Amino acid sequence: MATVEKMPMLAEGYDKLSTELKRLRAERPLIVDAIEEARAHGDLSENAEYHAAKERQGQIEASISDIEDKLSRAQIIDPTTLSGDKVVFGATVTLLDEDDKPVRYQIVGQTEADANAGRISYNSPLGRALIGRRVEDEVEVTVPSGDRYYLVSKIEFI
């Protein structure tokens, strides 16, 4: 029997997906109306409006299915309830790069990742390298631009 892989995420990420799912479900009837209107224009083989509406309907249904799958497998984690001296999902980690410049990342789920906002996926190369590390551990990460080295200087659960 196949096991369903849980998808860890923060409550914020779960709420964001739920909101997007509601928005897509609300768009469904509008697409059906657009398809009906385009059908009324006659010959479907040369009807660009009809084909565009059908394509949009397919995109919406695929997105709804994907989001429903993610939400059904969601395992919501609250970082404020966590503690310890190891990097785990939800932890906020301060690293020192090779120039002793501090960089700070929170380990989050795939749907919540945004490196520019300091949120990296636990599945990213750096995220995988950090999981299980402690303060003062050195981390080597291979990224497209080459090898990077970091020192874990602080682990927080905020």
Side-chain angles (χ1 to χ4, degrees):
M1 186 164 126
T3 58
V4 177
E5 183 183 334
K6 288 290 186 188
M7 180 173 268
M9 63 179 66
L10 304 176
E12 177 185 323
Y14 186 89
D15 293 343
K16 191 174 179 183
L17 282 176
S18 296
T19 301
E20 177 66 5
L21 182 60
K22 286 177 189 164
R23 187 190 69 73
L24 289 170
R25 285 180 174 162
E27 194 175 333
R28 269 178 168 164
L30 302 175
I31 293 297
V32 170
D33 291 345
I35 290 171
E36 289 302 315
E37 185 179 321
R39 262 195 192 137
H41 292 255
D43 185 12
L44 298 181
S45 66
E46 295 180 16
N47 189 329
E49 290 174 13
Y50 173 79
H51 293 291
K54 287 297 279 182
E55 185 175 323
R56 179 67 184 142
Q57 183 182 40
Q59 292 169 341
I60 288 174
E61 292 304 323
S63 294
I64 287 173
S65 178
D66 182 52
I67 293 172
E68 286 174 340
D69 174 59
K70 288 175 180 171
L71 291 175
S72 71
R73 296 184 299 128
Q75 178 182 5
I76 300 171
I77 295 175
D78 180 0
T80 60
T81 63
L82 303 174
S83 63
D85 62 348
K86 285 185 177 179
V87 176
V88 294
F89 182 93
T92 300
V93 185
T94 304
L95 305 169
L96 297 177
D97 67 10
E98 295 162 13
D99 301 322
D100 284 338
K101 181 181 154 212
V103 289
R104 188 173 171 179
Y105 295 112
Q106 183 177 26
I107 311 295
V108 297
Q110 295 165 299
T111 60
E112 304 160 293
D114 180 359
N116 294 331
R119 305 179 105 185
I120 58 170
S121 168
Y122 67 96
N123 274 340
S124 68
L126 182 56
R128 284 195 309 268
L130 288 172
I131 297 291
R133 301 297 181 135
R134 293 182 156 88
V135 172
E136 298 299 319
D137 280 357
E138 291 183 7
V139 180
E140 178 183 348
V141 184
T142 302
V143 292
S145 60
D147 290 346
R148 306 285 305 226
Y149 300 91
Y150 296 99
L151 177 71
V152 178
S153 71
K154 189 180 197 181
I155 301 170
E156 301 171 279
F157 298 95
I158 49 178

